[in-house]
Amino acid sequence: MKIENGEIAALLLRVADLLEIQGANPFRVRAYRNAARTVEASGEPIRDLVDAGEDLSALPAIGDDLAKQITELVKTGKLARLEEIERAVPPSLAELTHIGGLGPKRAQRLWKELGIETVDALEQAARAGKLATLEGFGAKTEAKILKGIEELRAHRARTRLSDADTIVAPLVQYLKDFKGVKSVDVAGSFRRRRETVGDLDLLAIAAKPAAVIRHFTKYRRVKDVDLAGDTRATVRLDSGLQVDLRVLEPASYGAALLYFTGSKAHNVKLRNRAIDAGYRLSEYGLFRVKKGAKEPKRDVTSGTRVAGKTEEEVYAKLGLPWIPPEMREDRGEIEAATRNKLPRLITVDDLRGDLQMHTTWSDGQNSLDEMISACAERGYEYCAITDHSKALAITGGMDAKALARQQRELADVVERHPEIHVFRSMEIDILKDGALDLADAAIETLDIVLVAIHSHFDLPAAQQTKRILEAVTSGKVHILAHPTGRLINRREPYPFDMEAVLHAAKEYGVAVEINAHPERLDLDDVHAMRARELGVTLVIDTDAHSTSDLDLIHYGVEQARRAWVEPKDVLNTLPLDALIRRLHGQPPKAPSGIRSKRR
DNA sequence: GCCGTTTTCGGCCCGACTGTTTTCAGTCG
């Protein structure tokens, strides 16, 4: 059984949920959640580490006990600890805590006092008015639980980052237009540029917080107001997206921005660092605390505030350089910052060209001339035209004859565009058996060979891996495009051995794509980070199907930044002549070799 | 259950808001 990191993490989280309902030591519960995070964030399959006999307790948040448990899980597919707990607590109780407003304590009481074990049973009891008979439960709680069940059933997916971008812009403007509002920022996973966001965290500076909160709850797209206090409110928009707003003072704005940007794991580590240095860190600032002073109820701004106006100030007081939001996931960035070894993250300006785009020769909306002009307008030194091959008939994919015709037109078009170098390329399908969907003779007319899978997503993992490796090691290929085939919130990645493919890409000098399209973002941040660790060259491109799609490039760059990618890791940061030399020298193991014919 | 240039034991992040409490627990982020 080949267990994936995601499955291991899910089981650890399940143990945590059930332990919590049992009323276990909260720090023990946290330990399981922390370990789950480590597993989830590992680009390398944990099963490979186990197979290699490596010591898992070397990983952060995993000690001797969890190392043993995870090893057992990988080897046997079973987790004795979980089975033990599931004998004591009905497993279905874990789902109850996923209902908004219902946590482990009350789930336990519902079970023990009313015998409720499932969401269905809970709904029945709530409708029958039985919940309100419980000490501490009232009519409002009952109504809130019913609403929470409804939302759980609606099973709302996380919102794609690009969708969040379009929702955020008018809302931020609405708040900024309100009298007395000095600034509005979006924090949270949105600011960290995660591929999806669960909710939006807005921060504002304003003279009269309560008035801003009221204004916020009256935004035309607000469907429900979950809570609204003097400085904070939570609403749900008609799109289903939850939005939190906090209104703050300038003196604590940086601390709040830091705090609400997260991630939670990054914050916890920073707070511990603050404590070690004799401070208290909260969203109100960094405060010097007197030794031993631990009054039970204190003013949140008591003590001496030593930083808080800006993020830079807070990091500096903690002995750290400012850390870019995309890196704040507790994947070693605080340690790197401590040693002053933060990477110089790639930016959009580092890219000198876009190496995947489509035209009317297959399924693109714009002509060769329009796409090339648009690339030139964006200041690129080069671009590559990568229309589909014939196997993808629905896109009007080209065979060798069509490719030849396209190249004749392209020769004319490039004459008119001396300001940009155009690579002859093609997005060639990897067929079911791993062969490429274009004859070798035609492949040899290409400057860049880009390959991808668009069919037979449901092959067994071993066969899918073999298929991809066949292409990657063929000696004909420069770029492996959207390697997993996933579409965010729509299609899961097809199963295959990513680790094997990345090793092969490294060996054969094949660049692996971070597809910038906000629906793909493929590779994702975790795999891109793994690729970078292995020394695999990445390429960031848009897969544009229209000229306006070229502007989506920043999504790819943002994911790359989350993977700590530097300019040197990316093929299309190379100047034109260096890129051409590189293409000539590649693939290193080419049996017959493909040669770039143009300079 | 993890972790350790003060510790192998004793710590483990901080605050807002709600509901049903007459002083606070539970939940959330």
Side-chain angles (χ1 to χ4, degrees), chain A residues 484-499:
Chain A
T484 78
R486 65 106 172 236
L487 296 175
I488 296 172
N489 285 352
R490 273 180 44 199
R491 186 169 76 208
E492 291 298 306
Y494 34 80
F496 70 101
D497 186 344
M498 173 66 78
E499 189 74 4

Side-chain angles (χ1 to χ4, degrees), chain A residues 38-286:
Chain A
T38 294
V39 171
E40 188 81 69
S42 167
E44 193 172 8
I46 297 294
R47 59 160 192 270
D48 286 0
L49 295 177
V50 171
D51 289 345
E54 302 222 9
D55 180 14
L56 297 183
S57 68
L59 296 171
I62 293 177
D64 289 342
D65 183 82
L66 277 166
K68 241 185 240 162
Q69 290 195 57
I70 295 170
T71 302
E72 171 207 335
L73 177 58
V74 170
K75 288 192 172 163
T76 69
K78 287 185 178 176
L79 197 53
R81 190 71 49 92
L82 178 60
E83 292 175 1
E84 188 185 311
I85 299 169
E86 286 183 342
R87 279 193 291 274
V89 184
S92 55
L93 279 182
E95 206 190 350
L96 295 193
T97 65
H98 300 153
I99 296 168
L102 197 54
K105 298 277 167 60
R106 297 209 279 203
Q108 187 197 48
R109 291 192 49 212
L110 289 168
W111 168 48
K112 289 202 166 165
E113 296 175 30
L114 292 180
I116 290 170
E117 296 187 4
T118 65
V119 176
D120 286 345
L122 177 63
E123 185 180 16
Q124 275 187 6
R127 293 206 188 283
K130 282 187 190 162
L131 300 191
T133 62
L134 248 54
E135 184 92 3
F137 284 68
K140 285 196 175 178
T141 302
E142 204 165 65
K144 195 173 175 185
I145 284 175
L146 279 172
K147 196 169 175 192
I149 291 173
E150 207 176 295
E151 292 195 343
L152 182 78
R153 295 226 169 102
H155 208 93
R156 245 186 285 271
R158 289 173 61 92
T159 304
R160 272 204 309 266
L161 183 57
S162 53
D163 293 337
D165 273 324
T166 62
I167 291 170
V168 155
L171 174 54
V172 166
Q173 196 54 51
Y174 170 81
L175 291 173
K176 280 185 172 169
D177 288 345
F178 190 65
K179 195 165 118 298
V181 172
K182 300 237 174 9
S183 70
V184 179
D185 282 284
V186 190
S189 46
F190 181 91
R191 183 163 178 245
R192 302 201 310 279
R193 305 308 281 165
R194 273 192 62 175
E195 62 192 32
T196 58
V197 301
D199 61 10
L200 289 174
D201 295 286
L202 268 49
L203 302 184
I205 300 180
K208 292 180 179 160
V212 180
I213 293 294
R214 274 197 303 278
H215 180 65
F216 172 60
T217 59
K218 288 180 190 151
Y219 183 54
R220 65 186 163 81
R221 296 193 54 186
V222 167
K223 200 180 82 188
D224 284 313
V225 178
D226 285 356
L227 61 88
D230 290 339
T231 63
R232 175 179 166 189
T234 297
V235 304
R236 198 169 283 278
L237 302 180
D238 50 15
S239 62
L241 188 63
Q242 178 182 312
V243 187
D244 293 349
L245 172 68
R246 278 103 173 165
V247 186
L248 300 128
E249 292 179 351
S252 58
Y253 200 67
L257 190 56
L258 177 62
Y259 181 77
F260 290 111
T261 296
S263 66
K264 188 172 178 145
H266 180 86
N267 286 347
V268 167
K269 204 157 245 185
L270 277 188
R271 282 227 190 92
N272 286 327
R273 194 181 173 90
I275 291 167
D276 289 347
Y279 297 116
R280 177 181 92 243
L281 178 60
S282 76
E283 60 263 50
Y284 293 101
L286 187 67

Side-chain angles (χ1 to χ4, degrees), chain A residues 4-14 16 28-44 46 56 59-62 66 70 192 194 261-270 272 325-335 525-526 529 562 564:
Chain A
E4 301 287 336
N5 287 353
E7 301 170 64
I8 298 173
L11 287 169
L12 293 174
L13 289 176
R14 186 163 185 77
R28 191 173 160 222
V29 174
R30 187 190 296 174
Y32 278 91
R33 299 220 164 105
N34 289 342
R37 268 202 70 252
T38 294
V39 171
E40 188 81 69
S42 167
E44 193 172 8
I46 297 294
L56 297 183
L59 296 171
I62 293 177
L66 277 166
I70 295 170
R192 302 201 310 279
R194 273 192 62 175
T261 296
S263 66
K264 188 172 178 145
H266 180 86
N267 286 347
V268 167
K269 204 157 245 185
L270 277 188
N272 286 327
E326 297 93 329
M327 293 184 70
R328 299 181 195 171
E329 298 288 346
D330 188 25
R331 296 176 185 158
E333 72 279 5
I334 293 175
E335 292 78 359
D525 55 346
V526 171
M529 194 169 211
R562 290 178 54 77
W564 300 32

